[in-house]
Amino acid sequence: MQPTIESIYKRYSPALRPVEQENSIGYWFIFRGNQLLVHETGDLLAVPVGDRLDKYELTSSRTLYLGSIEGASCYTAEVAEDSTVPEGMVFLPLFALYDRIDEDLFHVAGRGLQMLSWDATNQFCGRCGNALNHADHERSKVCPNCGLSHYPRLSPAVITIILKGDQILLARAGHFPNNMYGLIAGFVEPGETLEDCVQRETMEEIGIKIKNIRYYDSQPWPFPHSLMIGFIAEYDSGEIQVDGEEIAEAKWFHANELPNIPPRVSIARKMIDWYVEEYKS
């Protein structure tokens, strides 16, 4: 059965600038490095809400508008590493906030982190060196001297669930913590289709051939600017031979004997959970 594909956003509307009917009091996604500022009251976390950043006695090096959630504006801002943390609040890694804040807010925060990274690393034109201006009609920057447009960086990467009968192939990279196993993944190279990349990465990392490649789902991965594109594939031929560089170990597993697997924030976990449900049914 093919998995159901849904939008990750339920209430969020992206935009370049606020509209007149928007509420001036909105959400502020304030980052110190890769950490997001949140109110902390036990296990409950909340994104700051207000009409301006200086309410929290913080000074931003850059502030960007992201869009709105049910009429409330969404802004993202970057503050200095030595910024004082407001009372009753804490900076936490974005990755650790999944399932601890509203899902839409989590995804908008990820968008904000990517936009701040893009804005910080695209101040000058790579062709002529002139300072860049924000475009009026799209999310890009334009060089006023040579006219070159600079768009937010996005690095597409494929991730594949490989099935062999009722078994799933899981692999462990040397840097994975707690003996965790995940799926085969890798970045798309110039000139490749996504399916080409799925086949190449599988052969390079574990030495087997696959077939019946089909799309599963996708997930933005703002660490810092990837787009994970999931696929389902079936084993065709060959014996597992790990490359010893990116992959340290790979095995076939049954649904009732899975090792330590990725957290629910990742598309890898979503895909593995889908496999388990299919096996049960």
Side-chain angles (χ1 to χ4, degrees):
M1 180 183 295
Q2 190 70 13
T4 301
I5 300 172
E6 297 180 351
S7 170
I8 62 170
Y9 296 114
K10 306 299 188 297
R11 298 168 292 132
Y12 169 68
S13 300
L16 292 178
R17 58 189 62 84
V19 295
E20 290 184 3
Q21 62 267 33
E22 265 184 36
N23 193 332
S24 60
I25 297 177
Y27 297 101
W28 282 87
F29 301 90
I30 304 167
F31 285 93
R32 188 177 67 181
N34 291 329
Q35 296 186 322
L36 180 69
L37 182 67
V38 290
H39 292 279
E40 186 177 38
T41 54
D43 290 335
L44 300 176
L45 301 176
V47 173
V49 173
D51 58 356
R52 63 189 190 281
L53 182 63
D54 58 10
K55 168 184 176 181
Y56 301 101
E57 299 182 351
L58 292 169
T59 301
S60 169
S61 55
R62 56 180 41 84
T63 299
L64 299 172
Y65 175 77
L66 299 174
S68 64
I69 292 180
E70 297 179 337
S73 297
C74 296
Y75 292 91
T76 188
E78 179 184 77
V79 297
E81 289 287 346
D82 59 354
S83 296
T84 301
V85 182
E87 185 177 355
M89 306 182 76
V90 62
F91 281 100
L92 293 175
L94 180 60
F95 189 84
L97 297 180
Y98 183 75
D99 274 349
R100 298 191 68 191
I101 61 174
D102 175 88
E103 184 177 2
D104 271 352
L105 296 181
F106 176 82
H107 291 302
V108 176
R111 179 185 286 254
L113 183 59
Q114 289 179 286
M115 291 298 97
L116 291 173
S117 175
W118 164 69
D119 187 65
T121 55
N122 287 268
Q123 296 292 306
F124 301 95
C125 180
R127 182 159 65 187
C128 71
N130 206 76
L132 298 174
N133 297 328
H134 281 278
D136 293 329
H137 62 290
E138 62 180 359
R139 187 74 72 180
S140 70
K141 291 187 176 183
V142 179
C143 177
N145 181 53
C146 70
L148 183 65
S149 293
H150 299 255
Y151 293 91
R153 178 179 175 181
L154 195 62
S155 301
V158 299
I159 182 166
T160 310
I161 185 167
I162 302 172
L163 304 176
K164 182 182 181 182
D166 61 355
Q167 294 179 300
I168 181 177
L169 189 141
L170 297 176
R172 179 178 61 82
H175 65 276
F176 280 2
N178 303 320
N179 202 36
M180 184 176 69
Y181 283 72
L183 303 178
I184 298 300
F187 288 100
V188 181
E189 295 184 353
E192 283 187 322
T193 65
L194 298 176
E195 292 79 4
D196 288 339
C197 184
V198 168
Q199 292 178 317
R200 175 183 57 77
E201 285 290 341
T202 302
M203 178 58 67
E204 287 180 355
E205 294 187 357
I206 56 173
I208 66 172
K209 291 184 178 180
I210 54 177
K211 62 183 180 181
N212 298 334
I213 300 169
R214 54 200 187 275
Y215 177 70
Y216 174 88
D217 202 351
S218 63
Q219 179 187 41
W221 194 246
F223 306 104
H225 41 61
S226 300
L227 174 64
M228 303 300 296
I229 306 159
F231 287 89
I232 304 168
E234 298 173 14
Y235 168 81
D236 185 15
S237 62
E239 297 295 329
I240 295 174
Q241 295 181 342
V242 299
D243 62 5
E245 296 180 2
E246 293 193 40
I247 301 299
E249 190 175 15
K251 298 178 182 179
W252 296 103
F253 292 90
H254 288 283
N256 57 3
E257 57 178 17
L258 295 180
N260 185 28
I261 55 177
R264 296 187 184 278
V265 64
S266 67
I267 189 175
R269 177 58 178 270
K270 180 180 178 182
M271 296 170 76
I272 294 171
D273 287 348
W274 169 82
Y275 153 74
V276 172
E277 289 301 315
E278 285 295 296
Y279 174 80
K280 289 180 179 179
S281 63

